[in-house]
Amino acid sequence: MSGPVSARIGFRSTTSVTMVEENLPIHTFTEIPSPEIFSSQIEPKNIPAVFKGCIKHWKAFSKWNPSDGGLIYLQERVGSVVVEAMRSRSAPVFYGDIRGHERVPLQFSTFIEYCLCLLENRDGRRDAFLESQKHSLAVSDTDQALLFGEAPQQFYLAQVPILNFENKEHKQLECLGEDIQTPVPLETKSLASVNLWMNNMKSRSSTHYDPHHNLLCIVSGCKEVTLWPPSATPYLYPLPLYGEASNHSSVTLEEPNLSVYPRAACLNGFSQKVVLHAGDALFIPEGWFHQVDSEALTIAVNFWWRSMTISGMLEHMDAYYLRRILKRLIDKEMNKMLHFPSSSMDKTMTCTTSQPNDAYRDHGEQRISTNCGNGSSNDELRSKVMLQDLEPCASQSLNELISLVHDCLNPSKPTGLEYTDNSSAKENDETNKREEDLCSINDDPVTNLILTLHPLTIQSVFLAMANNFPRTLEALVLHVLTPVGSEILTRKFEEMDQLISGEDQNEFYRIFYGVFDDQSAAMDALLNGKELVARQAFENVLDQYMGINLDGPKPAAK
């Protein structure tokens, strides 16, 4: 290592990765946008949008209405075609995980008969009515057993294909395609599939996201859709990527178990609700979590198509984009872990009156002046900043920092921060747990002090330490700084670099690293600490966004 520039190799800039959860309001359009407007101004934002009255011109809008003979019309159009119906084991909620439902073959006409029974006695005692009617329904013995088992069943015709452009043989309700049209905003899209959704009773889907853009169109009835942006993923605890329902949340939103899913307490801050009536359509971008509550006998049609982002992503680039995305998520997670503000200049330092222990000074006693200076100049840098030149707050911060370093190295005076050597390798389980603890800012007085300091105050304090207390500075970097302290300190250095000239930067790092007999050891200590924080952030990202816990499976919600 030669000189201050090479000494900083490996410190990444963080100025472009400060993440703030943005407000993403859902807009409602009373005029239907053209395909050009949708593709250029609405779709690229990846924010849901409601289009009022989008499909009122459909033949289906007038012909499928259950309150106006629509069930009979559908029964005549489709007949005895066998479809796959979802039968819930946890009605009225239909969970995406196959453990919560089963798919059963059912004649479409049988499902319509069942819906007709419900419609005829919508305001009466449904269960008693169904019991009296079950033997008069013109359905097969198999369907009788499905519909009238030990208890009245709740079925959902979920994602039954009307058109499927990716699997042309899989379109059970193709005959209904004549009653619908491609909505105007999607006229230029290459659709993947068009599907029917129809429930016999009130129902709720579990919270999930889809890997395609989605336009959900309400033909009859009403749906309430609750939506969360992809950035809310950590609070929804997605199921593991290697599982059968990786796009579903593991949280029961009605009564979340906060002892198992503590981050779910923040979910309401991310959610938005929209109510869709017959004729309305909702654009749900890929990756947006949503939960859908449907009124009884609600009929909907949805259109799926691949986003331009996924369509244009060539397979040989997957690994690169995966690493880029993970890096962004890791940077965002690190900022959360460190409670690091977008600019530490907004934080006001609280001056304290603690004094350094005279026995631990590296030089003889020197009087600390309380005269306010005007900040560092080139001359002050070159003279290494004498104690009497420090501003009062910098002077007091220096005193407190020296005292904390002394206390950390003196086991008889515990401060909540134990001695640790960041430059040594730690591989056993017990030490790994210790590393996790050191990736927290809690109970870390040295790091908390550094965090409160203005970058130019940091400059003055460390120049004064290098000149007057070099061994204390060496102990701080090699033995006292925790991993999170290393990350915070180097971020402060980066902010400082933005405020001083290149000449002053070089002089500062020459003085700072010149304290150490082995500059490589100092650099290793800082980099090792930073990498431990990044590693913990990486593990958090895998757990929060992908449901992968490297320490083993999480306990299931009660």
Side-chain angles (χ1 to χ4, degrees), residues 195-226:
N195 308 286
L196 176 77
W197 305 75
M198 184 174 179
N199 53 290
N200 54 357
M201 307 177 199
K202 285 187 177 182
S203 63
R204 165 175 288 177
S205 72
S206 58
T207 304
H208 67 286
Y209 66 86
D210 296 313
H212 286 68
H213 282 334
N214 181 10
L215 189 70
L216 176 63
C217 305
I218 311 303
V219 178
S220 66
C222 178
K223 289 180 183 282
E224 181 181 78
V225 185
T226 308

PDB file of all heavy atoms in Angstrom, residues 195-226:
ATOM      1  N   ASN A 195     -58.213 -15.134 -18.798  1.00  0.00           N
ATOM      2  CA  ASN A 195     -58.776 -16.130 -17.889  1.00  0.00           C
ATOM      3  C   ASN A 195     -60.068 -15.652 -17.239  1.00  0.00           C
ATOM      4  O   ASN A 195     -60.274 -14.451 -17.043  1.00  0.00           O
ATOM      5  CB  ASN A 195     -57.774 -16.449 -16.774  1.00  0.00           C
ATOM      6  CG  ASN A 195     -56.412 -16.815 -17.301  1.00  0.00           C
ATOM      7  OD1 ASN A 195     -56.198 -17.889 -17.822  1.00  0.00           O
ATOM      8  ND2 ASN A 195     -55.460 -15.884 -17.183  1.00  0.00           N
ATOM      9  N   LEU A 196     -60.903 -16.620 -16.880  1.00  0.00           N
ATOM     10  CA  LEU A 196     -62.146 -16.357 -16.162  1.00  0.00           C
ATOM     11  C   LEU A 196     -61.931 -16.602 -14.669  1.00  0.00           C
ATOM     12  O   LEU A 196     -61.268 -17.565 -14.276  1.00  0.00           O
ATOM     13  CB  LEU A 196     -63.259 -17.269 -16.667  1.00  0.00           C
ATOM     14  CG  LEU A 196     -64.597 -17.155 -15.911  1.00  0.00           C
ATOM     15  CD1 LEU A 196     -65.337 -15.896 -16.353  1.00  0.00           C
ATOM     16  CD2 LEU A 196     -65.468 -18.391 -16.121  1.00  0.00           C
ATOM     17  N   TRP A 197     -62.521 -15.727 -13.843  1.00  0.00           N
ATOM     18  CA  TRP A 197     -62.514 -15.866 -12.388  1.00  0.00           C
ATOM     19  C   TRP A 197     -63.968 -15.715 -11.920  1.00  0.00           C
ATOM     20  O   TRP A 197     -64.619 -14.719 -12.207  1.00  0.00           O
ATOM     21  CB  TRP A 197     -61.651 -14.784 -11.731  1.00  0.00           C
ATOM     22  CG  TRP A 197     -60.234 -14.745 -12.249  1.00  0.00           C
ATOM     23  CD1 TRP A 197     -59.807 -14.251 -13.455  1.00  0.00           C
ATOM     24  CD2 TRP A 197     -59.079 -15.241 -11.587  1.00  0.00           C
ATOM     25  NE1 TRP A 197     -58.457 -14.402 -13.581  1.00  0.00           N
ATOM     26  CE2 TRP A 197     -57.963 -15.001 -12.439  1.00  0.00           C
ATOM     27  CE3 TRP A 197     -58.841 -15.854 -10.347  1.00  0.00           C
ATOM     28  CZ2 TRP A 197     -56.670 -15.362 -12.114  1.00  0.00           C
ATOM     29  CZ3 TRP A 197     -57.553 -16.199 -10.008  1.00  0.00           C
ATOM     30  CH2 TRP A 197     -56.483 -15.968 -10.876  1.00  0.00           C
ATOM     31  N   MET A 198     -64.465 -16.715 -11.202  1.00  0.00           N
ATOM     32  CA  MET A 198     -65.863 -16.675 -10.770  1.00  0.00           C
ATOM     33  C   MET A 198     -65.998 -17.431  -9.449  1.00  0.00           C
ATOM     34  O   MET A 198     -65.558 -18.567  -9.312  1.00  0.00           O
ATOM     35  CB  MET A 198     -66.765 -17.308 -11.844  1.00  0.00           C
ATOM     36  CG  MET A 198     -68.241 -17.247 -11.548  1.00  0.00           C
ATOM     37  SD  MET A 198     -69.211 -17.861 -12.961  1.00  0.00           S
ATOM     38  CE  MET A 198     -70.874 -17.702 -12.304  1.00  0.00           C
ATOM     39  N   ASN A 199     -66.595 -16.771  -8.469  1.00  0.00           N
ATOM     40  CA  ASN A 199     -66.779 -17.399  -7.154  1.00  0.00           C
ATOM     41  C   ASN A 199     -68.256 -17.522  -6.839  1.00  0.00           C
ATOM     42  O   ASN A 199     -69.068 -16.675  -7.235  1.00  0.00           O
ATOM     43  CB  ASN A 199     -66.084 -16.572  -6.064  1.00  0.00           C
ATOM     44  CG  ASN A 199     -66.499 -15.114  -6.076  1.00  0.00           C
ATOM     45  OD1 ASN A 199     -66.144 -14.369  -6.987  1.00  0.00           O
ATOM     46  ND2 ASN A 199     -67.258 -14.697  -5.073  1.00  0.00           N
ATOM     47  N   ASN A 200     -68.610 -18.590  -6.124  1.00  0.00           N
ATOM     48  CA  ASN A 200     -70.027 -18.774  -5.788  1.00  0.00           C
ATOM     49  C   ASN A 200     -70.424 -18.033  -4.517  1.00  0.00           C
ATOM     50  O   ASN A 200     -71.542 -17.547  -4.396  1.00  0.00           O
ATOM     51  CB  ASN A 200     -70.376 -20.264  -5.673  1.00  0.00           C
ATOM     52  CG  ASN A 200     -69.471 -20.989  -4.699  1.00  0.00           C
ATOM     53  OD1 ASN A 200     -68.539 -20.412  -4.139  1.00  0.00           O
ATOM     54  ND2 ASN A 200     -69.743 -22.275  -4.486  1.00  0.00           N
ATOM     55  N   MET A 201     -69.506 -17.939  -3.548  1.00  0.00           N
ATOM     56  CA  MET A 201     -69.767 -17.215  -2.307  1.00  0.00           C
ATOM     57  C   MET A 201     -68.684 -16.153  -2.115  1.00  0.00           C
ATOM     58  O   MET A 201     -67.735 -16.076  -2.894  1.00  0.00           O
ATOM     59  CB  MET A 201     -69.761 -18.176  -1.113  1.00  0.00           C
ATOM     60  CG  MET A 201     -70.676 -19.374  -1.248  1.00  0.00           C
ATOM     61  SD  MET A 201     -70.515 -20.483   0.188  1.00  0.00           S
ATOM     62  CE  MET A 201     -71.193 -22.007  -0.463  1.00  0.00           C
ATOM     63  N   LYS A 202     -68.832 -15.332  -1.082  1.00  0.00           N
ATOM     64  CA  LYS A 202     -67.786 -14.367  -0.769  1.00  0.00           C
ATOM     65  C   LYS A 202     -66.472 -15.099  -0.582  1.00  0.00           C
ATOM     66  O   LYS A 202     -66.417 -16.152   0.050  1.00  0.00           O
ATOM     67  CB  LYS A 202     -68.131 -13.586   0.504  1.00  0.00           C
ATOM     68  CG  LYS A 202     -69.199 -12.535   0.316  1.00  0.00           C
ATOM     69  CD  LYS A 202     -69.358 -11.699   1.585  1.00  0.00           C
ATOM     70  CE  LYS A 202     -70.376 -10.589   1.381  1.00  0.00           C
ATOM     71  NZ  LYS A 202     -70.509  -9.735   2.599  1.00  0.00           N
ATOM     72  N   SER A 203     -65.410 -14.536  -1.130  1.00  0.00           N
ATOM     73  CA  SER A 203     -64.125 -15.230  -1.057  1.00  0.00           C
ATOM     74  C   SER A 203     -62.997 -14.219  -0.975  1.00  0.00           C
ATOM     75  O   SER A 203     -63.166 -13.034  -1.273  1.00  0.00           O
ATOM     76  CB  SER A 203     -63.935 -16.145  -2.278  1.00  0.00           C
ATOM     77  OG  SER A 203     -63.890 -15.370  -3.459  1.00  0.00           O
ATOM     78  N   ARG A 204     -61.848 -14.720  -0.583  1.00  0.00           N
ATOM     79  CA  ARG A 204     -60.643 -13.902  -0.471  1.00  0.00           C
ATOM     80  C   ARG A 204     -59.460 -14.711  -0.968  1.00  0.00           C
ATOM     81  O   ARG A 204     -59.299 -15.889  -0.617  1.00  0.00           O
ATOM     82  CB  ARG A 204     -60.424 -13.480   0.975  1.00  0.00           C
ATOM     83  CG  ARG A 204     -59.027 -12.945   1.266  1.00  0.00           C
ATOM     84  CD  ARG A 204     -58.897 -12.414   2.687  1.00  0.00           C
ATOM     85  NE  ARG A 204     -59.619 -11.157   2.826  1.00  0.00           N
ATOM     86  CZ  ARG A 204     -59.718 -10.495   3.970  1.00  0.00           C
ATOM     87  NH1 ARG A 204     -59.169 -10.980   5.066  1.00  0.00           N
ATOM     88  NH2 ARG A 204     -60.374  -9.352   4.024  1.00  0.00           N
ATOM     89  N   SER A 205     -58.638 -14.075  -1.805  1.00  0.00           N
ATOM     90  CA  SER A 205     -57.391 -14.728  -2.214  1.00  0.00           C
ATOM     91  C   SER A 205     -56.323 -14.443  -1.174  1.00  0.00           C
ATOM     92  O   SER A 205     -56.358 -13.415  -0.491  1.00  0.00           O
ATOM     93  CB  SER A 205     -56.930 -14.187  -3.575  1.00  0.00           C
ATOM     94  OG  SER A 205     -56.445 -12.856  -3.438  1.00  0.00           O
ATOM     95  N   SER A 206     -55.385 -15.339  -1.033  1.00  0.00           N
ATOM     96  CA  SER A 206     -54.245 -15.043  -0.169  1.00  0.00           C
ATOM     97  C   SER A 206     -53.376 -13.993  -0.846  1.00  0.00           C
ATOM     98  O   SER A 206     -53.436 -13.784  -2.058  1.00  0.00           O
ATOM     99  CB  SER A 206     -53.441 -16.311   0.120  1.00  0.00           C
ATOM    100  OG  SER A 206     -52.979 -16.898  -1.078  1.00  0.00           O
ATOM    101  N   THR A 207     -52.551 -13.315  -0.058  1.00  0.00           N
ATOM    102  CA  THR A 207     -51.727 -12.226  -0.583  1.00  0.00           C
ATOM    103  C   THR A 207     -50.594 -12.795  -1.428  1.00  0.00           C
ATOM    104  O   THR A 207     -49.833 -13.649  -0.979  1.00  0.00           O
ATOM    105  CB  THR A 207     -51.163 -11.400   0.577  1.00  0.00           C
ATOM    106  OG1 THR A 207     -52.250 -10.940   1.381  1.00  0.00           O
ATOM    107  CG2 THR A 207     -50.390 -10.199   0.055  1.00  0.00           C
ATOM    108  N   HIS A 208     -50.469 -12.295  -2.651  1.00  0.00           N
ATOM    109  CA  HIS A 208     -49.480 -12.844  -3.580  1.00  0.00           C
ATOM    110  C   HIS A 208     -49.128 -11.797  -4.626  1.00  0.00           C
ATOM    111  O   HIS A 208     -49.761 -10.742  -4.722  1.00  0.00           O
ATOM    112  CB  HIS A 208     -50.039 -14.093  -4.273  1.00  0.00           C
ATOM    113  CG  HIS A 208     -51.181 -13.796  -5.198  1.00  0.00           C
ATOM    114  ND1 HIS A 208     -52.448 -13.481  -4.751  1.00  0.00           N
ATOM    115  CD2 HIS A 208     -51.246 -13.725  -6.565  1.00  0.00           C
ATOM    116  CE1 HIS A 208     -53.246 -13.257  -5.780  1.00  0.00           C
ATOM    117  NE2 HIS A 208     -52.544 -13.395  -6.893  1.00  0.00           N
ATOM    118  N   TYR A 209     -48.102 -12.079  -5.412  1.00  0.00           N
ATOM    119  CA  TYR A 209     -47.786 -11.269  -6.585  1.00  0.00           C
ATOM    120  C   TYR A 209     -47.745 -12.185  -7.803  1.00  0.00           C
ATOM    121  O   TYR A 209     -47.654 -13.413  -7.682  1.00  0.00           O
ATOM    122  CB  TYR A 209     -46.450 -10.536  -6.423  1.00  0.00           C
ATOM    123  CG  TYR A 209     -45.235 -11.439  -6.357  1.00  0.00           C
ATOM    124  CD1 TYR A 209     -44.595 -11.876  -7.507  1.00  0.00           C
ATOM    125  CD2 TYR A 209     -44.721 -11.853  -5.129  1.00  0.00           C
ATOM    126  CE1 TYR A 209     -43.482 -12.705  -7.457  1.00  0.00           C
ATOM    127  CE2 TYR A 209     -43.607 -12.684  -5.054  1.00  0.00           C
ATOM    128  CZ  TYR A 209     -42.991 -13.103  -6.218  1.00  0.00           C
ATOM    129  OH  TYR A 209     -41.895 -13.938  -6.158  1.00  0.00           O
ATOM    130  N   ASP A 210     -47.810 -11.590  -8.984  1.00  0.00           N
ATOM    131  CA  ASP A 210     -47.754 -12.352 -10.230  1.00  0.00           C
ATOM    132  C   ASP A 210     -46.505 -11.960 -11.012  1.00  0.00           C
ATOM    133  O   ASP A 210     -46.057 -10.816 -10.950  1.00  0.00           O
ATOM    134  CB  ASP A 210     -48.998 -12.099 -11.079  1.00  0.00           C
ATOM    135  CG  ASP A 210     -50.267 -12.587 -10.408  1.00  0.00           C
ATOM    136  OD1 ASP A 210     -50.259 -13.729  -9.920  1.00  0.00           O
ATOM    137  OD2 ASP A 210     -51.253 -11.815 -10.353  1.00  0.00           O
ATOM    138  N   PRO A 211     -45.954 -12.890 -11.789  1.00  0.00           N
ATOM    139  CA  PRO A 211     -44.756 -12.588 -12.594  1.00  0.00           C
ATOM    140  C   PRO A 211     -45.078 -11.966 -13.946  1.00  0.00           C
ATOM    141  O   PRO A 211     -44.210 -11.876 -14.805  1.00  0.00           O
ATOM    142  CB  PRO A 211     -44.114 -13.969 -12.768  1.00  0.00           C
ATOM    143  CG  PRO A 211     -45.274 -14.910 -12.762  1.00  0.00           C
ATOM    144  CD  PRO A 211     -46.286 -14.325 -11.819  1.00  0.00           C
ATOM    145  N   HIS A 212     -46.335 -11.555 -14.149  1.00  0.00           N
ATOM    146  CA  HIS A 212     -46.757 -10.890 -15.376  1.00  0.00           C
ATOM    147  C   HIS A 212     -47.497  -9.603 -15.006  1.00  0.00           C
ATOM    148  O   HIS A 212     -48.030  -9.475 -13.900  1.00  0.00           O
ATOM    149  CB  HIS A 212     -47.719 -11.761 -16.195  1.00  0.00           C
ATOM    150  CG  HIS A 212     -47.073 -12.919 -16.895  1.00  0.00           C
ATOM    151  ND1 HIS A 212     -46.551 -13.996 -16.221  1.00  0.00           N
ATOM    152  CD2 HIS A 212     -46.894 -13.181 -18.221  1.00  0.00           C
ATOM    153  CE1 HIS A 212     -46.060 -14.866 -17.091  1.00  0.00           C
ATOM    154  NE2 HIS A 212     -46.248 -14.397 -18.315  1.00  0.00           N
ATOM    155  N   HIS A 213     -47.551  -8.655 -15.927  1.00  0.00           N
ATOM    156  CA  HIS A 213     -48.485  -7.543 -15.796  1.00  0.00           C
ATOM    157  C   HIS A 213     -49.898  -8.105 -15.916  1.00  0.00           C
ATOM    158  O   HIS A 213     -50.148  -9.085 -16.636  1.00  0.00           O
ATOM    159  CB  HIS A 213     -48.263  -6.507 -16.899  1.00  0.00           C
ATOM    160  CG  HIS A 213     -47.082  -5.617 -16.664  1.00  0.00           C
ATOM    161  ND1 HIS A 213     -46.576  -5.328 -15.417  1.00  0.00           N
ATOM    162  CD2 HIS A 213     -46.317  -4.909 -17.552  1.00  0.00           C
ATOM    163  CE1 HIS A 213     -45.559  -4.495 -15.531  1.00  0.00           C
ATOM    164  NE2 HIS A 213     -45.367  -4.241 -16.817  1.00  0.00           N
ATOM    165  N   ASN A 214     -50.850  -7.451 -15.243  1.00  0.00           N
ATOM    166  CA  ASN A 214     -52.195  -7.992 -15.148  1.00  0.00           C
ATOM    167  C   ASN A 214     -53.207  -6.858 -15.286  1.00  0.00           C
ATOM    168  O   ASN A 214     -53.049  -5.805 -14.656  1.00  0.00           O
ATOM    169  CB  ASN A 214     -52.365  -8.680 -13.779  1.00  0.00           C
ATOM    170  CG  ASN A 214     -53.732  -9.304 -13.585  1.00  0.00           C
ATOM    171  OD1 ASN A 214     -54.520  -9.413 -14.513  1.00  0.00           O
ATOM    172  ND2 ASN A 214     -54.014  -9.712 -12.356  1.00  0.00           N
ATOM    173  N   LEU A 215     -54.207  -7.057 -16.128  1.00  0.00           N
ATOM    174  CA  LEU A 215     -55.353  -6.154 -16.168  1.00  0.00           C
ATOM    175  C   LEU A 215     -56.568  -6.968 -15.731  1.00  0.00           C
ATOM    176  O   LEU A 215     -57.011  -7.877 -16.433  1.00  0.00           O
ATOM    177  CB  LEU A 215     -55.573  -5.568 -17.565  1.00  0.00           C
ATOM    178  CG  LEU A 215     -56.625  -4.451 -17.601  1.00  0.00           C
ATOM    179  CD1 LEU A 215     -56.099  -3.205 -16.894  1.00  0.00           C
ATOM    180  CD2 LEU A 215     -57.032  -4.104 -19.032  1.00  0.00           C
ATOM    181  N   LEU A 216     -57.093  -6.642 -14.545  1.00  0.00           N
ATOM    182  CA  LEU A 216     -58.228  -7.354 -13.956  1.00  0.00           C
ATOM    183  C   LEU A 216     -59.502  -6.585 -14.285  1.00  0.00           C
ATOM    184  O   LEU A 216     -59.667  -5.430 -13.884  1.00  0.00           O
ATOM    185  CB  LEU A 216     -58.041  -7.464 -12.439  1.00  0.00           C
ATOM    186  CG  LEU A 216     -59.179  -8.104 -11.647  1.00  0.00           C
ATOM    187  CD1 LEU A 216     -59.377  -9.559 -12.055  1.00  0.00           C
ATOM    188  CD2 LEU A 216     -58.910  -7.992 -10.151  1.00  0.00           C
ATOM    189  N   CYS A 217     -60.417  -7.239 -15.011  1.00  0.00           N
ATOM    190  CA  CYS A 217     -61.639  -6.592 -15.497  1.00  0.00           C
ATOM    191  C   CYS A 217     -62.856  -7.210 -14.807  1.00  0.00           C
ATOM    192  O   CYS A 217     -63.034  -8.440 -14.842  1.00  0.00           O
ATOM    193  CB  CYS A 217     -61.766  -6.761 -17.011  1.00  0.00           C
ATOM    194  SG  CYS A 217     -60.327  -6.162 -17.941  1.00  0.00           S
ATOM    195  N   ILE A 218     -63.703  -6.383 -14.202  1.00  0.00           N
ATOM    196  CA  ILE A 218     -64.874  -6.862 -13.476  1.00  0.00           C
ATOM    197  C   ILE A 218     -66.073  -6.858 -14.425  1.00  0.00           C
ATOM    198  O   ILE A 218     -66.527  -5.801 -14.880  1.00  0.00           O
ATOM    199  CB  ILE A 218     -65.173  -5.986 -12.249  1.00  0.00           C
ATOM    200  CG1 ILE A 218     -63.899  -5.778 -11.428  1.00  0.00           C
ATOM    201  CG2 ILE A 218     -66.274  -6.627 -11.405  1.00  0.00           C
ATOM    202  CD1 ILE A 218     -63.228  -7.049 -10.971  1.00  0.00           C
ATOM    203  N   VAL A 219     -66.596  -8.059 -14.709  1.00  0.00           N
ATOM    204  CA  VAL A 219     -67.752  -8.179 -15.597  1.00  0.00           C
ATOM    205  C   VAL A 219     -69.034  -7.964 -14.804  1.00  0.00           C
ATOM    206  O   VAL A 219     -69.960  -7.278 -15.247  1.00  0.00           O
ATOM    207  CB  VAL A 219     -67.756  -9.554 -16.294  1.00  0.00           C
ATOM    208  CG1 VAL A 219     -68.983  -9.693 -17.182  1.00  0.00           C
ATOM    209  CG2 VAL A 219     -66.479  -9.745 -17.097  1.00  0.00           C
ATOM    210  N   SER A 220     -69.117  -8.552 -13.613  1.00  0.00           N
ATOM    211  CA  SER A 220     -70.271  -8.338 -12.739  1.00  0.00           C
ATOM    212  C   SER A 220     -69.826  -8.523 -11.292  1.00  0.00           C
ATOM    213  O   SER A 220     -68.823  -9.181 -11.016  1.00  0.00           O
ATOM    214  CB  SER A 220     -71.410  -9.310 -13.071  1.00  0.00           C
ATOM    215  OG  SER A 220     -71.023 -10.638 -12.780  1.00  0.00           O
ATOM    216  N   GLY A 221     -70.582  -7.927 -10.376  1.00  0.00           N
ATOM    217  CA  GLY A 221     -70.227  -8.036  -8.966  1.00  0.00           C
ATOM    218  C   GLY A 221     -69.256  -6.947  -8.535  1.00  0.00           C
ATOM    219  O   GLY A 221     -69.180  -5.868  -9.136  1.00  0.00           O
ATOM    220  N   CYS A 222     -68.476  -7.248  -7.513  1.00  0.00           N
ATOM    221  CA  CYS A 222     -67.599  -6.244  -6.910  1.00  0.00           C
ATOM    222  C   CYS A 222     -66.393  -6.925  -6.272  1.00  0.00           C
ATOM    223  O   CYS A 222     -66.526  -7.990  -5.654  1.00  0.00           O
ATOM    224  CB  CYS A 222     -68.380  -5.446  -5.853  1.00  0.00           C
ATOM    225  SG  CYS A 222     -67.416  -4.213  -4.976  1.00  0.00           S
ATOM    226  N   LYS A 223     -65.241  -6.320  -6.416  1.00  0.00           N
ATOM    227  CA  LYS A 223     -64.022  -6.807  -5.780  1.00  0.00           C
ATOM    228  C   LYS A 223     -63.322  -5.639  -5.084  1.00  0.00           C
ATOM    229  O   LYS A 223     -63.263  -4.523  -5.626  1.00  0.00           O
ATOM    230  CB  LYS A 223     -63.049  -7.431  -6.795  1.00  0.00           C
ATOM    231  CG  LYS A 223     -63.493  -8.768  -7.370  1.00  0.00           C
ATOM    232  CD  LYS A 223     -62.460  -9.296  -8.354  1.00  0.00           C
ATOM    233  CE  LYS A 223     -62.914 -10.594  -8.999  1.00  0.00           C
ATOM    234  NZ  LYS A 223     -62.743 -11.759  -8.113  1.00  0.00           N
ATOM    235  N   GLU A 224     -62.796  -5.904  -3.894  1.00  0.00           N
ATOM    236  CA  GLU A 224     -61.913  -4.958  -3.214  1.00  0.00           C
ATOM    237  C   GLU A 224     -60.505  -5.528  -3.257  1.00  0.00           C
ATOM    238  O   GLU A 224     -60.270  -6.652  -2.824  1.00  0.00           O
ATOM    239  CB  GLU A 224     -62.337  -4.732  -1.763  1.00  0.00           C
ATOM    240  CG  GLU A 224     -61.445  -3.734  -1.043  1.00  0.00           C
ATOM    241  CD  GLU A 224     -61.834  -3.515   0.410  1.00  0.00           C
ATOM    242  OE1 GLU A 224     -61.502  -4.394   1.242  1.00  0.00           O
ATOM    243  OE2 GLU A 224     -62.464  -2.489   0.712  1.00  0.00           O
ATOM    244  N   VAL A 225     -59.572  -4.742  -3.785  1.00  0.00           N
ATOM    245  CA  VAL A 225     -58.202  -5.202  -3.959  1.00  0.00           C
ATOM    246  C   VAL A 225     -57.287  -4.373  -3.061  1.00  0.00           C
ATOM    247  O   VAL A 225     -57.292  -3.137  -3.131  1.00  0.00           O
ATOM    248  CB  VAL A 225     -57.750  -5.092  -5.425  1.00  0.00           C
ATOM    249  CG1 VAL A 225     -56.360  -5.705  -5.598  1.00  0.00           C
ATOM    250  CG2 VAL A 225     -58.752  -5.785  -6.351  1.00  0.00           C
ATOM    251  N   THR A 226     -56.527  -5.042  -2.218  1.00  0.00           N
ATOM    252  CA  THR A 226     -55.515  -4.390  -1.393  1.00  0.00           C
ATOM    253  C   THR A 226     -54.163  -4.656  -2.030  1.00  0.00           C
ATOM    254  O   THR A 226     -53.849  -5.800  -2.374  1.00  0.00           O
ATOM    255  CB  THR A 226     -55.537  -4.933   0.040  1.00  0.00           C
ATOM    256  OG1 THR A 226     -56.867  -4.857   0.557  1.00  0.00           O
ATOM    257  CG2 THR A 226     -54.609  -4.128   0.948  1.00  0.00           C
TER     258      THR A 226
END
